Amino acid sequence: MPTNEMTGGEALARMLQAFEGGPMFGMGGFQLLPFYDAARRMGLKHYLINDERCGAFAADAYAKVTGRVGLCDATLGPGATNLVTALVESLNAGVPVVAIVGDTHRLHSWKNMTQESRQLDILRPAVKEVIRVEYIERIPELVRRAFAVATSGRPGPVVLDVPEDVCHATYPFDEEEFVVDPIHRAAPSLRVRPDATALDTAVDMLKAAERPLMLCGGGIHISRAAEAVTAFAEATNIPVAHTMSGKGAVACTSPLSAGLFGRYDRIANKLIEESDLLFVVGCKLGEIATKRYTVPPKGKTVIHLDIVAEEMGRTLTPALSLWGDARATLDEMRAALAGSGMKEKLAGWAGDVPKRMAAWRQDVDARLTSEERPINMARLMHELNLNLPADATLVADGGFAAHWGGLLYDTKQPGRGFVPDRGFASIGYGVPGGIGAALGAAHDKLGPVVALTGDGGFNMVMGELETARRLGLAFTVIVVNNAASGYVKALQHLMYGEGAYQSSDLAETNYATVVEAFGCKGIRVERPEELGPALQAAMAEKGRPTLLDVVVTRDPAKMLPAVDNRTVQVKKGDRVA
């Protein structure tokens, strides 16, 4: 067996190459220099990022778009701890990420090494598993383990901790040690189905239902199951509602789409009330999706299908729990329901959905087409619907942007055309998420990428436009410019009244001018009629990002994510749903 003497860093690079990994985002330090040198020599797609958190966000978005493992790295200490927020996003959202983290030389540990910290103790609760490499010869084995853990079950992030001396040491590896199982290059790497008896019961319950409704969460996209959901819904005439992360389970333009449910909805919450059977698929039923645990109302019959058994029964008690992969299970159930007559039986129930949706659209049309200045958020979302092609990807920053996008953006085909950071819902995801999504869209030959962020979120990460410009990425960043921490200011207005604002205002800034200094194209949009042309110009730009600085309402009574903006003041201490 031929051997090849190499550093631990090169062995890491060889393993990533075997997994066809990349792009990778990171900021180097001495501990991982042999890895960087090998990446250079081997031509691995590794990109310098300006902040490690943003690198992990970019890896997360790339993985969400492609299903492939997102990759990032960080050096000892502050580099490692900067990853925490983004890794929790991936953990909570079920996104496969492998983060390689440098650590101290083992002979020097706990002797006040520069930047040393209890980084593994800090990182451990933020990831699915922490893997410490104690021996150079185990690098191939442990990298395989990292990819297997990241892509199996409910996918998630894994930290591979590499001490300095292990990365710089050399070892004569056999070539056969760098062979990998290709199933772990993407998630889900393994699929399982529920117990056969439980599946039979679920089929019988669906057959007996008069008004069944599917509630789909982000697990649909983790499973790459949107086509399966669409086929199941069309074969049975069961309408589909979704969470923010589940948008695209069926196309929002489908007559079977009931839209967003939970804290904000179009028609879905009313359908949930009227339904006699709820089929929950790949959904954790968390606070936002359940409108602070009030949706569905008590007494509803629920079938809950999820890949994580611990999620079933966490917020409500289902009548039946199905532990399995969404796509594999739905395909099997669709086959079992063939010839059942459900499609004909539910024609009336399903046929009512597009009528209700049309009535909703007519009711809110004045806001969707509003001519008011500053620009109404509903008009911005409406213009995105009019101008983005079916294969576009809309990345939505946490909070304000994700809620408006979740409610009003319409995907035109099944799939993950809407990428919000709802695992942790931190702000600052928009630009790095756009970087990862743009690279992912290029890999999968998808259409344009648009990243929607607030001015507060953009202020956090605007330096990553230098990264995007350096990489020659042509995607669009929309800054929702309301000169405020909009969500907080709106809630302060709601709870305490006009003028009762504390630490929620930002300086008026022309971000279109700011980004010109980065070499990006900037367009200031102040009139609603300018939105469509600005979007078209941005999507036509080649080789660099374009930022649309969209001046939206400064009225906190109109900032909350709904077309029927909540303007009623509530008393202090009242619960806000």
Side-chain angles (χ1 to χ4, degrees):
M1 289 180 286
T3 61
N4 190 358
E5 186 88 17
M6 67 182 71
T7 65
E10 182 170 342
L12 287 170
R14 288 282 299 272
M15 286 302 296
L16 296 187
Q17 187 179 60
F19 275 108
E20 299 179 358
M24 189 173 190
F25 309 91
M27 184 182 295
F30 179 75
Q31 291 75 23
L32 295 178
L33 281 186
F35 167 73
Y36 272 62
D37 182 62
R40 173 188 60 82
R41 289 185 282 106
M42 295 166 57
L44 289 181
K45 293 180 180 178
H46 185 288
Y47 304 124
L48 172 65
I49 205 81
N50 286 302
D51 181 274
E52 293 87 353
R53 177 184 62 143
C54 292
F57 275 152
D60 175 271
Y62 177 83
K64 282 174 177 167
V65 169
T66 65
R68 293 162 54 82
V69 177
L71 298 174
C72 60
D73 68 87
T75 190
L76 168 71
T81 59
N82 276 349
L83 295 174
V84 170
T85 296
L87 290 177
V88 175
E89 165 65 32
S90 299
L91 179 68
N92 291 353
V95 179
V97 170
V98 171
I100 296 177
V101 175
D103 209 336
T104 54
H105 193 299
R106 289 174 300 170
L107 288 178
H108 304 157
S109 296
W110 312 123
K111 295 170 69 174
N112 293 323
M113 288 285 289
T114 302
Q115 298 187 319
E116 186 175 26
S117 70
R118 297 278 183 182
Q119 64 185 40
L120 295 189
D121 293 339
I122 295 168
L123 291 168
R124 187 165 284 109
V127 296
K128 197 174 174 186
E129 187 168 314
V130 167
I131 300 173
R132 166 95 165 173
V133 183
E134 294 285 1
Y135 300 95
I136 183 174
E137 54 265 44
R138 293 192 67 189
I139 286 176
E141 167 204 346
L142 294 179
V143 174
R144 280 192 290 270
R145 168 74 181 176
F147 274 77
V149 172
T151 59
S152 60
R154 178 178 171 182
V158 176
V159 161
L160 192 71
D161 184 78
V162 185
E164 173 191 313
D165 53 309
V166 173
C167 192
H168 286 254
T170 62
Y171 182 79
F173 289 96
D174 294 326
E175 287 295 326
E176 65 185 24
E177 295 183 71
F178 297 101
V179 175
V180 303
D181 188 338
I183 68 167
H184 294 302
R185 288 174 179 155
S189 56
L190 300 169
R191 297 184 187 271
V192 295
R193 292 180 176 85
D195 174 76
T197 302
L199 276 177
D200 290 342
T201 301
V203 167
D204 289 341
M205 292 172 69
L206 287 168
K207 286 180 180 178
E210 299 290 334
R211 296 178 305 281
L213 180 68
M214 289 182 72
L215 305 181
C216 292
I220 295 300
H221 299 307
I222 296 170
S223 177
R224 322 304 284 182
E227 296 288 350
V229 172
T230 300
F232 182 87
E234 291 176 350
T236 60
N237 255 337
I238 299 179
V240 179
H242 60 78
T243 65
M244 282 185 275
S245 297
K247 180 182 286 290
V250 297
C252 294
T253 52
S254 165
L256 289 169
S257 174
L260 187 70
F261 72 93
R263 176 173 292 181
Y264 305 106
D265 82 309
R266 302 180 181 184
I267 63 172
N269 288 357
K270 182 64 174 175
L271 288 170
I272 289 172
E273 288 181 17
E274 297 174 7
S275 174
D276 61 353
L277 178 63
L278 299 173
F279 185 17
V280 178
V281 184
C283 179
K284 294 182 289 187
L285 294 171
E287 177 205 353
I288 303 296
T290 62
K291 198 174 181 180
R292 193 61 71 88
Y293 314 108
T294 61
V295 175
K298 290 182 178 180
K300 287 294 178 181
T301 302
V302 175
I303 300 171
H304 194 168
L305 167 61
D306 205 282
I307 194 64
V308 182
E310 292 83 359
E311 293 298 347
M312 293 175 279
R314 189 191 293 271
T315 61
L316 58 79
T317 302
L320 179 66
S321 298
L322 300 176
W323 182 23
D325 172 75
R327 192 178 83 184
T329 304
L330 288 173
D331 284 345
E332 187 166 340
M333 292 179 70
R334 177 165 56 90
L337 287 165
S340 66
M342 282 189 68
K343 186 168 187 176
E344 295 75 20
K345 172 185 173 183
L346 299 178
W349 167 244
D352 197 38
V353 171
K355 296 176 183 177
R356 297 191 194 200
M357 191 66 79
W360 172 84
R361 290 185 188 280
Q362 183 177 2
D363 186 52
V364 302
D365 182 71
R367 295 183 189 273
L368 296 176
T369 59
S370 170
E371 298 290 337
E372 67 185 82
R373 295 180 56 194
I375 295 167
N376 189 300
M377 275 296 295
R379 176 65 184 269
L380 170 59
M381 302 311 304
H382 182 62
E383 292 295 333
L384 286 171
N385 287 334
L386 291 177
N387 287 277
L388 265 58
D391 61 350
T393 301
L394 179 64
V395 176
D397 212 323
F400 196 88
H403 287 189
W404 276 99
L407 179 68
L408 295 182
Y409 180 64
D410 286 331
T411 60
K412 301 177 180 70
Q413 62 187 25
R416 203 166 209 163
F418 180 65
V419 181
D421 66 325
R422 295 310 301 173
F424 208 28
S426 61
I427 61 173
Y429 186 88
V431 173
I435 291 172
L439 290 166
H443 179 274
D444 286 357
K445 297 180 173 57
L446 300 175
V449 170
V450 175
L452 183 67
T453 183
D455 40 9
F458 181 69
N459 287 342
M460 288 183 172
V461 299
M462 70 172 72
E464 296 307 337
L465 277 181
E466 183 277 330
T467 305
R469 177 70 181 93
R470 177 169 21 98
L471 300 185
L473 297 177
F475 67 99
T476 303
V477 177
I478 297 176
V479 174
V480 177
N481 187 338
N482 55 17
S485 179
Y487 202 80
V488 173
K489 188 170 184 177
L491 289 176
Q492 289 175 342
H493 179 87
L494 182 69
M495 295 190 69
Y496 306 113
E498 186 174 355
Y501 313 126
Q502 174 61 46
S503 303
S504 56
D505 288 309
L506 298 171
E508 289 282 354
T509 304
N510 186 325
Y511 292 101
T513 301
V514 170
V515 302
E516 294 284 346
F518 285 103
C520 302
K521 182 174 182 175
I523 303 174
R524 178 88 162 179
V525 181
E526 298 179 300
R527 299 174 179 272
E529 63 270 20
E530 298 169 349
L531 283 166
L535 282 166
Q536 291 297 328
M539 290 187 289
E541 187 72 17
K542 305 297 182 184
R544 62 174 180 167
T546 299
L547 182 139
L548 305 187
D549 181 20
V550 181
V551 181
V552 300
T553 183
R554 267 64 176 156
D555 183 354
K558 295 182 178 180
M559 288 180 180
L560 284 173
V563 286
D564 54 342
N565 304 108
R566 293 183 288 184
T567 57
V568 179
Q569 184 180 346
V570 298
K571 296 178 181 178
K572 184 177 180 180
D574 283 358
R575 186 170 66 186
V576 178

